[in-house]
Every structure is written in structure tokens, then in C-alpha cells.
Amino acid sequence: MTSQALDEIKIGGLGSSRKRVEDDRFIRGRGNYTDDIVLPGMLHMEILRSPLPHARIKSIDASKAWEIPGVHLVLTGEMMATRNLAWMPTLSYDTQAVLATDKVRFQGQEVACVIADDPYIAKDACEAIEVDYEPLPVIVNPWQATADGAPVIRDDKVNQADNVVYNWEVGDRAGTDRAFEQADVISKLELHYPRSHPSPIECCGSIADFNRATSKLTVYMTTQAPHIIRAAVAMVAELPEQMIRIISPDIGGGFGNKVPVYPGYVCSILASILLERPVKWIEDKTGNLISTGFARDIYLKGEMALRRDGKILGVRMHTDADHGAFFSDAQPSKFKIGLMHSAFAAYDIPAAHLTARGLYTNKAPGGVAYRCSFRVTEAMFFQERMVQAAADDLGMDQAAFRRMNFVRDDDFPHRTPFGFLTDSGQYAKCLDVGLKAIDYENFREEQAAARQRGRLLGLGISTMTEPLGAGNSREYDILGIKMFDSAELKVHMTGKAILRTGAKTQGQGHETTWAQIVAHELGIPADDVVVEEGDTDTAPFGMGTYASRSTPVAGAAVAMVSRKIRAKARKLAAHLLEVSEEDVEWELGRFYVRSSPGRGVTIQECAMAAYSNMPDGMEPGLENTAYYDPPNLTWPFAVYIVTVEVDPETGVWDVLKMVAVDDCGVRINPMIVEGQIMGGLTEAYAMSSMQFITFDADGNCVGSNYMDYLLPTAWETPGYELHSEVVTPCPHHPIGAKGIGECAAVGGPAAFVNAVIDALTGTGVRNIDMPVLPDRVWEAITYRRDVSGAPPVRQDE
Amino acid sequence: MFPPRFAYEAPHSLDEAISLLHGGGDYVKVLAGGQSLVPLMKLRFASPDMLVDINNVPGLDYHRTDADGSLHIGALCRHADLEHSELLAGTQPTMASAAPKIADPLVRNRGTLVGSLCHADPQGDWASVMTALGGTVIAQGPRGKRAIPLAEFVTGPFQNVLEPDEIAIEAVVPPAKGTRAGGYLKLERRVGDFATVGVAVAIETSGDTVARAGIALTGVGGSTINATEAAAALAGKPLTAETIAAAAELAAAAAQPKTDHRGSAEYKRHMVSVFVKRILSAGNGTAAGTSTERAA
Amino acid sequence: MTIVYDDLGDEAASEVPVRKIRFTINGKKKVAEIEPRLLLADLIRRGLGLTGTHRGCDTTNCGACTVLVDGKAIKSCTMLAVQVDGREVETVEGLAGQSELHPIQEGFKQEHGLQCGFCTPGMMMATKALLDRNPDPTEEDVRWALSGNLCRCTGYQNIVKSVLWAAEKLRAEA
């Protein structure tokens, strides 16, 4: 680097914690969320939902609703059916009811909707619709689903004779069986990862605007994946794809909740087409929690074959996933249970086998959501809970057991027991950093001393590595569409630029971070690069933002398009400097003549030349697009360690300290990365301590509003100590980054649960299902037994 | 999400308010803080024909101690006024302990103690506190004023004994016979949660003896439970580990909890006992409760 | 001002009783004619077009709708708009006042106190109420004061830092 290279941090390149561009409008209250948008002539839609979880619809009488002044349209399933819109395809090759016709299949299912001048009137009219239901028996868990004589929930499907969605398996059954035969100790664990919900504060919504004069349908929508929506709408509404424009404006949190296609979107689109006016639908929190894409709700039977010295010989897992009434997950189509088979990727285990089954139940559809990276949250939770139990069963120290089974630094590339290829990591070093930060040795002494005085302290370790950046076109697709992503960069003549990608930020700060990649590659100050996402008319095709895929895929595309631009700029530089291209060198922001470094041109001068002084035969302009098909997934790694104190009398537990050691490769913006980690840790804390959706014996949803679905406030949420010392760049990513958005939500929950279980050492308790509520802890301590949280909720007779 | 239609009046005097209630028809509700009523109306669990908003009636936002030592809380005294009250901090340990635990800081800026008593939610915290203190509600109507003891004020979930044309204008805590001690412990998983179990203990000691005791329970029955036997086990005796244990056991026996997603009936009963012991063992409500407890 | 409705031929449509109220919003005096059931949050968002105040839940929990009424931080989804008759309302749009940004807004930007931004206006208004009352809060004071405002993105740690940053700046300017 010569003396004229720009200071990368000063221009907001990689590693700069530049302040966020997005903030300027949000702190002024000038965000542009879907519900903020007002179109002339706009009408408002409200949805009537089923109060019953499983019932035949005998009749729907909407006559009184039609009579209410201000009502323009009432839609029912019957009306949708005449237009072939009562059912729609899901992202998992199943079908989902838009508005119920024959039956309702979960409490909260959409039954009708009203479009009126004002949402208050629309709600009044919903109340006036009379539905006659005939209740049917209810299914709220997998064993009810598979019991003899269980009602078939999906009797709408030809060839569906039971409530099984799929059976799937992966791994080496024979090798695993052999491992178990050779085991000195077999450790077993069964648990339930409860139903949770991403619950961003902003609910889902759409404004559909069909313009009869232009035949164009514009839909403003809370979606993390506008291009997928455009394709889905083209299929479902049978409109030509070029006449559909999906605009995803500012989104108040996604976390996977805003990926699926929801009935409300479809109804608002049809209503707009019928009424030829914009129709706005904004759901309420109850609608969001009771009907939109939930997360988890999956049961594990896990076994580990162990050698006496602590070596893990093999792992067997069986999972039963409760999918609700429709199989509607957004996930790579090849893998029925998502990336569950990423479990144990960081451990050197010779053989593993996973069987997975999916069940229909009378609950909202979903399963893949909530910072889960396509079920990696479940995989890593199961993994770390099994590891905890195994270490205890062997009488080994938790840290030592993990360390001895980790993949070693020089074992990469490493083929995991389920067939993934991991490429980089320093697992033991992360563990060392974490143990030092939590003062592990001293803690164990303190813990022992406290136990003598009747105080229960506990320490929980959790590790995770995850396959981020879905994904390579050989193996990954959603509904057959490959999961590449894109970036389009247009450099203007004054050297400023506009960048658009196929991702869609919902708080991750893309407007800030993508510009940093451009600054890194081109030396254009990040402040000079404006970033836009979310409008399918202008953004290059991409598969959206979820599963932490943006930095690995779209971010890579940003780097690649910047390099394409730089390659052309190099030609322009050679032309301006009157040398051949081979004589031109690059330093940040500038091309110079190798033999005479003082002679150079800035990138801005090259930009101007692209419009005013091109060499003969060169196409003018300095704009390009890149589509990136990732060669492999990236594999960040983390260690999370928590210490807690449990009050044995009440079962209440408090966090004493939490330490997070995240190795996510190169960090584009350290401040933003830390924000993502803290957000994920808080969701981990929420799931482990208080937040869940469950069902009573009648199928009523418990947790369909914020009085029962508990998000922690600033008061309960612990503080976090974050560590960034360990950086293992991704060997194949253009800037060595790995992705971070979900890591803490993936790895965090087990740390909290393991800590409480550790505090209960000596009681024989091996498992308490999340959320680890005070009453469950008390029951475990008092009766010295495991506590399950599976639905139905225990109730008085 | 949106309430149904209703008529609305905002009187500027108590007499005007009462006369509006008197002539208002079948289903008229008083609106004070609105932090319980408005949410119910938004969910359409309550659809009054008319709301009489008393927020513009002057002179109702006080809380003060009279010369005789009784504490008077006006109908528009907000939870936040009580949370930040220096008066309460020094003289009313049970109330001071409860005030910060009502809902959350924003709701506390609007909600009122008197309104909370009238709403008669079985999960209501103030009802237990006022019952343990032997408080009364002062109601005013066209036929004059009357004092209704808390123990008789609530007849069931969301049901109180007020006539349709009566307004509760004040809650009164009687003067203490001795030195006040006690507290309110609430098992909630986070700020703003309903009480899984709430226990209010209010005692007055005279020398070594407990001159008066009150224990009332939140969330473990169809409405507030007045654990009179438990309180009686303390009265007239010194406060010892034995009397505390006896009171705790009786309070737990008085509870009628249900097993639900917040815990088993057994656990809730156990927690009643734990909370009684912790409040009485610590003195003035400084017992460690749950993670939402704010250290004094 | 002219308002035109669709004539759906029903007399009843014109008989919805409205009430006239006068109030101040961010220092400006306004008159409104509204139904009693209109929630304050909707008067602010739809009647006044000030969409910085957000609606997040339906059970008065999330606090995304927090505004100040007569200086007190309240949840505008749980107050009837008619109740601000004669009162002063402050929303996020009024925070900056004469200057470019209020120190609270600066603090949230400096300390990365927001990600998706949806809870942020409510957080900042609750913060304003806190700092008006207590210019030198501890971390515990801040967490307590904001315990009625939910955030899903940040984990609160940077929000606390943002508030403390703002408090320090306000004390320095005072």
C-alpha cells in the first residue's frame, strides 16, 4: 500500500463501526412502514377468525355485515372458491386455506374478511358475520395425531389417510448401529422444544393496489422476500409477472415471520382487483400470534453412544415436528426438516443417524421461523442438551467433554457425521476465551461453596456452528427456485453510487453495511453509496433476507459486482493514464502506474471517464449486476456461557453473568454485529425463561396475545459481555464474512437451560422443557424429576 | 383492536357525573384511568353504551393522611402517584411495596387505585392490598355517600356492589393501631405480567405484639381471597417463627388456585406460604421476591 | 376542509355522533371532530398523519404507541382521542423542536439503540419522560423506566447506553 491509499476505516469500509444510515429517518419518526402508507381512495380490511380449533362450517351468513354503512365487500371461502382462490400453494409443496370452506383447522384460522371505509367499521362488520360451526375432536400434539381413530385433519387432500406430513431420514444407519453396539455408555434424552413465535413488534400487513387503467398490481407488503412473493402472486392470482410489483418498505422486524404468504395478503389483493381501489390489511397482534408462521414445536428422542473416556462414538436422533394444519414452511425443498442434520457439525463424531417425521395438528401452520436458520436452532439446542446430559452421565466436566470431542483446527475441511462440509473454525480457542471470561475455575469453587450453604448456582455452556448462506444451487431451492442472490451497482459520473440487492433488511442495517463492502472494494466512501432494497421493479432478483443468508450471499454479490466495476474502471484508468492495463496497480480508491506511483487516477475520475472519455470500443457507463451462487455454506461458530442462581424455594432463577464468544469471520460493521448478537441472546433468554405458545385440552391457543405470550422487558433482560477476539475468515466468501444474524438465537437457549440443570446437580434432574418457568423448576427440585412442557397444558379436571 | 361505538360524556363535576350515570341507561361505565376498561373494550369483551369520563372532575387526584391517621386515596390518584409518594414510603409499607408492581410504568401513569378496585379483576393487586389493610371504598350517588368495606366490595370476577348510579370517589385505609409493617410480593415472570400468585400482608405491631393483621391473596381464586384465619393466627401474639409458619400454612390453605399454564395448584399454594413467610420475616416488605422485584 | 364519502344510500351513515375537541400537538393547536371510540394512537396516525407513533399490539403491552400527554408518558392505544381535549400531546415528531435533533435522538444513533426502528419512537418518548423527571438516572433507573416498552431487536443493552448518552449530553447542555 502506498501513501495515497485511503484509510479504510475513515471511508467506512470493512471493520468500521460507522453509524447507521437507516437511523436518520427512524429517530425522526419518519420511517415508512406498511401501515404508514396511505394511498388515495384506500379501503381497509379486517379478518374474521375461527374461535374453534377444529370444526366443520355449516353455514356463513354475512348479510348483516353487508348492511353496515361503510362496508364495500365481504369475502368468504365460497366466494374465493369460485375464483379458485380458496386454497393456495405453500412454499413446501402443500396447500393452505386462504379462507376456510369446508372446515376450520386451527383456532384463529381465517374465515372471512370485510373491506370497509375504515378499520373500525370493518371490525364492526366482522362481528356481524354469523358462522355456524360443528365442533370436531382436537389434536394438539404428535401422539394425538397418530393415535388410533384420530380424525384426519387434512381430509381436503386426496391420498391423505392420516396426519403424517412426511417421514425423512439422513445419515448412516448401519454405522450408527455399530457405534451403539460398541458403546460403553449410552446417554438418552427426550425433550420438547416448545412452540414459539418470532413476534416482531410490527405485525404483518399489505396494501394491494390494482390499477385497472394500467393493469398493474402494486402490493406494499411486510415481506422479507419480495421476489418470492411476486412469483407466488403470479402463480396464485394468475396475473402476468411483469405486471406485478411488490414493494417491501421499512419492516419493523422480521425474524422469519414475514417470509410466508399469508391469507390476508391474498384477500387484500383479490379485494383490490374486485373493487379497483387500494385495500390495506394490517393484522392485529392476536392475529399475528395465533395464525402466522410460528417456530419450533418439535420433539426430540436423542441417544449418544459414548466411550468411557468421553469420546462420542455415534449419535441417533429422532424428531417429531408439529407443523400445524398446513405444511407451509419456507425452507430448502430438499430437506423436509430443514437443516436439522447440521447437528453435531462441530464435533468429530464418526457416525450419526437422524429420522424425522412431520405431523399435522390443529394449530397454525409453520415451524421454520424465528432466527432458526432453517431448523438449526433446534439442531443446536438438541445437540447441546444431549452433550450436557452425556457429560453428566459420564461424570465428566462439561468443558472438557466438549473440548475433547471438538473438530480440531487442522481437521478442516471436515465432513460432518450427517454429510455437511465445514471449512474453518477455531472451536477450542473460542471455548478458552469463554471459560476465561466467565472465570470458570473460580465459579466451580464458588458453586461448591454455595451449595454447602443451600444456594444453587449453575453454569451452562452452549456451542453452535451453523450452515449459513443457503445456498448452493446444487442442493438448495425453494419451490424449485435456486437460492442465489444479487447486487446491482450503478456508479454515477461524479463517483457516487446507488446499490440495489435482492435482499431485504428488517433492521440488520443493510443500507449501512452493503455500502461498506463497496467502500472496501472500490474506495468510494460509504457515505457516497446509497443502498436500496425491496422493490421488485428495481431490485435485482434475490431470495430475500432470512436464515442469516444476506451477508453470505447478497453481501458476496455486492463484493462481486464491485469487483466487476473495478475491472472496468481499471481499463478506464489505463486509458486515462495512457498505459497498458498490465502496468496499472490498485490501492484503495486509486489506480496508479506501477513504475511511477505518483501518477494515478481516483475511482471518481474513472467514473467520470466512463461517461465522457471512454476508450474506443468500450461500452459507456459504469454499472453492473452480479448474481452469486455460493459455492458452499459458511460456518460461524460461537460459545455461550451463562451463570445463574436458582432460588430452590420458588424456582425463580436469575442470570448472574452471560458471556458470548462469536467467531463469524470478518465483521463488516462490528457495532452492527454486536447488535445482532445481543438481539439473538435476548430471544434465547426469552425462549428459555418465559416465552411460549401452548394449547389446552380443547385446542385453545394459550399465548395468542402479549398478556400470555411474554417478551422480556429491559428490566428482566440480562446484560451481555461480548467477545470478538476469535476471527476465522470464511475461506470461500469474497470478503471472508460468515453471517451472524441468528447465531445467538441458535446457540443461546441451551446455555440458559444447561445452567439451570447444572444448578440442580444432585437432584437427578436431567431435563426441564423450555420455558424453564419457576413452577417447573420447583416441581423438578421438589419431586426430583424431569418436567415436560408438551401440550396440552395441565389443567384442573 | 377497536372498540365498538358508545356515547361519551366528560362532566366537570361529581354531581354532573352522578346524574349522567343515573340517567344513562342500561350499561354505563365510569372511565378514569381506562387501563383496564379500554383494553377490554378494544377486545370487545365489554361494550358499554356510554362512558362517563371523570378525568375532568377537579379535586379527585389526591392522596393524603388525615389528622386521625387514616389514608385517603382519591378516585383520580394514579398508580404512579403512589409509586413515587414520599408519604407512602414512610408510613404504608404494604402499599409502597405494591405500587411499583402494578402493570408497567406507562400504565401506572394513567391507571388509578380506585378504578382498579372497581374493576374487580381477580388478578388485581390493589384489591389484595386494600383488603389486607381493612380498607373501605367510599361510594357517592344520588342517595348520598356510603362506605363499603373492601371485604364486601367485590362479589365475583369483575363484579362489585356499586349501584349503577354510584361512583367510587375514594378509598380509605383506616388509621393504624400500631406500627405498620408488611409488604406485597407478586410472582410475575416479567414486568406487566399478571400475578401467578400475589400476597399482601399488612400488620400493625404494638410493642412485641401484633395488634392487627391482614393477609389477602391475588390470583389464587375466583377473586381476591381474604385469608382471615391466617391473619387471626397472628393477631394478639408476638411475631415468631412459629406464628409466621402457622399463618403461612393457613394462608396457603385458604387459597383456591387452579392448575394452568402458570403452574400447578400445588405450586401456587406453596408460593402463598413462601411469600407470607418472606414478607413477615423481612419486616417492611424488603423481602426478596422474584426477578421483577425492584430493590428498594 | 372538504370530506366526501361514498353514498351507500343509508341514512344511518351520517348519524355517527362526533365530538369536537381542541388540543395541542407538538406545540401546534388543533381542532378535531371525532368519534368517541377513536383511539388516540389513531387520531395521531391517521387524523394528523403523524405516523412516527406506532401500533404494535392489542393488549396495551408493547408501548410502541407511547406519547406524552401533559408531560406524562402514556400508551396512546389505550387512551381515547377525546380524552386529550384541552391537553398537550407530544410525539416523536416534536422531539427535535428548533434544533436538528434532540439529544435523545442523537443518543440512539450514537449508541446503536435501534435496529428495525419500530419500537424506537415509543422508547424515546418514555426516555424523555424519564429524563425530564430524573436527569441523572442509573442503568437500573433506565431499565425500570423503559419496562413498559418492548423491543425485539436490540436486547435493550444499547438502548440503555443510548439513554445514558443522552442524559449526559442534556446535563452538559443544561
Side-chain angles (χ1 to χ4, degrees), chain A residues 46 119-121 123-124 127 283-284 286 647 649-654 689-690 692 694 702 706-708 710-713 715-716 773-775 778 783 793-796, chain B residues 1-5 42-44 187 189-194 257-267 270-271 274-275 277-278 288-295:
Chain A
E46 289 287 323
Y120 287 58
I121 295 173
K123 202 65 168 182
D124 292 342
E127 300 268 300
E283 72 183 349
D284 54 29
T286 300
D647 179 340
E649 238 192 345
T650 63
V652 172
W653 53 276
D654 289 307
S689 67
M690 64 180 76
F692 73 133
T694 190
V702 179
Y706 276 173
M707 294 306 314
D708 288 316
L710 300 181
L711 313 191
T713 73
W715 185 249
E716 303 79 44
L773 300 163
D775 62 288
W778 179 82
Y783 292 101
V793 173
R794 280 179 294 175
Q795 282 165 286
D796 287 336
Chain B
M1 188 86 142
F2 311 113
R5 286 206 176 102
K42 285 165 66 181
L43 293 173
R44 303 202 175 206
L187 180 65
R189 287 156 294 172
R190 64 126 210 219
V191 170
D193 191 13
F194 283 127
K258 282 193 156 21
T259 296
D260 61 18
H261 64 283
R262 291 164 181 279
S264 65
E266 186 197 3
Y267 172 73
H270 162 76
M271 285 304 296
V274 169
F275 277 170
K277 282 191 196 130
R278 288 189 178 187
T290 73
S291 20
T292 58
E293 183 80 26
R294 179 160 207 206

Side-chain angles (χ1 to χ4, degrees), chain A residues 570 581-587 590-594:
Chain A
R570 177 186 287 273
E581 240 193 288
E582 297 83 61
D583 296 330
V584 172
E585 291 278 5
W586 162 259
E587 61 184 359
R590 177 177 182 263
F591 293 101
Y592 62 93
V593 179
R594 186 183 306 110

Side-chain angles (χ1 to χ4, degrees), chain C residues 29-44:
Chain C
K29 294 191 157 123
K30 297 280 183 187
V31 181
E33 291 185 19
I34 51 178
E35 275 194 83
R37 67 167 168 167
L38 183 72
L39 299 169
L40 177 60
D42 289 327
L43 172 65
I44 291 170

Side-chain angles (χ1 to χ4, degrees), chain A residues 41 136 139 176 201 207 261 268 286 313 320 328 449 464 477 524 576 589 696 726:
Chain A
L136 296 168
I139 293 172
T176 305
I201 305 294
I207 307 174
V261 181
S268 68
T286 300
L313 301 174
D320 279 313
S328 69
M464 72 104 231
D477 69 86
I524 296 178
L576 289 172
D696 69 16
V726 187

Side-chain angles (χ1 to χ4, degrees), chain A residues 434-715:
Chain A
L435 293 174
K436 180 150 182 265
I438 205 85
D439 205 4
Y440 188 66
E441 303 299 331
N442 277 342
F443 181 82
R444 288 294 183 206
E445 284 171 20
E446 220 186 293
Q447 181 184 35
R451 196 177 293 284
Q452 307 286 22
R453 298 192 307 271
R455 286 179 62 205
L456 303 182
L457 305 185
L459 182 147
I461 300 173
S462 174
T463 78
M464 72 104 231
T465 186
E466 56 166 345
L468 292 188
N472 177 273
S473 57
R474 282 188 313 270
E475 288 206 291
Y476 293 90
D477 69 86
I478 293 184
L479 282 185
I481 308 170
K482 301 298 181 186
M483 296 183 70
F484 56 89
D485 227 286
S486 61
E488 174 201 77
L489 182 60
K490 297 181 175 178
V491 182
H492 309 318
M493 66 184 73
T494 55
K496 319 281 198 227
I498 183 164
L499 173 76
R500 296 192 174 99
T501 82
K504 178 59 210 170
T505 192
Q506 320 115 38
Q508 296 90 331
H510 293 176
E511 293 172 41
T512 306
T513 55
W514 293 164
Q516 294 182 244
I517 299 179
V518 176
H520 169 75
E521 296 289 339
L522 285 174
I524 296 178
D527 286 346
D528 289 351
V529 181
V530 72
V531 177
E532 287 184 0
E533 290 177 336
D535 181 340
T536 58
D537 268 6
T538 54
F541 188 96
M543 291 297 271
T545 293
Y546 42 84
S548 302
R549 63 187 296 275
S550 293
T551 291
V553 192
V558 173
M560 300 313 283
V561 75
S562 301
R563 291 175 192 182
K564 288 188 186 183
I565 297 282
R566 197 167 83 218
K568 185 168 185 180
R570 177 186 287 273
K571 291 183 160 55
L572 288 157
H575 172 68
L576 289 172
L577 292 166
E578 294 172 327
V579 297
S580 75
E581 240 193 288
E582 297 83 61
D583 296 330
V584 172
E585 291 278 5
W586 162 259
E587 61 184 359
L588 193 62
R590 177 177 182 263
F591 293 101
Y592 62 93
V593 179
R594 186 183 306 110
S595 56
S596 176
R599 286 190 59 222
V601 287
T602 64
I603 186 72
Q604 288 79 9
E605 286 167 322
C606 295
M608 178 59 79
Y611 297 88
S612 61
N613 183 4
M614 299 79 69
D616 286 340
M618 176 189 274
E619 244 182 312
L622 195 57
E623 304 180 349
N624 216 323
T625 308
Y627 294 89
Y628 188 76
D629 183 1
N632 193 5
L633 303 161
T634 70
W635 294 89
F637 178 80
V639 170
Y640 303 112
I641 308 184
V642 178
T643 52
V644 303
E645 173 156 11
V646 177
D647 179 340
E649 238 192 345
T650 63
V652 172
W653 53 276
D654 289 307
V655 173
L656 300 174
K657 184 165 177 170
M658 176 158 213
V659 160
V661 184
D662 281 273
D663 177 2
C664 54
V666 170
R667 297 184 176 201
I668 301 170
N669 182 318
M671 175 187 83
I672 287 182
V673 169
E674 292 193 343
Q676 293 295 300
I677 296 170
M678 290 191 284
L681 291 175
T682 304
E683 284 167 343
Y685 173 68
M687 283 186 275
S688 64
S689 67
M690 64 180 76
Q691 179 189 283
F692 73 133
I693 293 179
T694 190
F695 294 80
D696 69 16
D698 299 322
N700 293 308
C701 179
V702 179
S704 62
N705 60 61
Y706 276 173
M707 294 306 314
D708 288 316
Y709 188 69
L710 300 181
L711 313 191
T713 73
W715 185 249

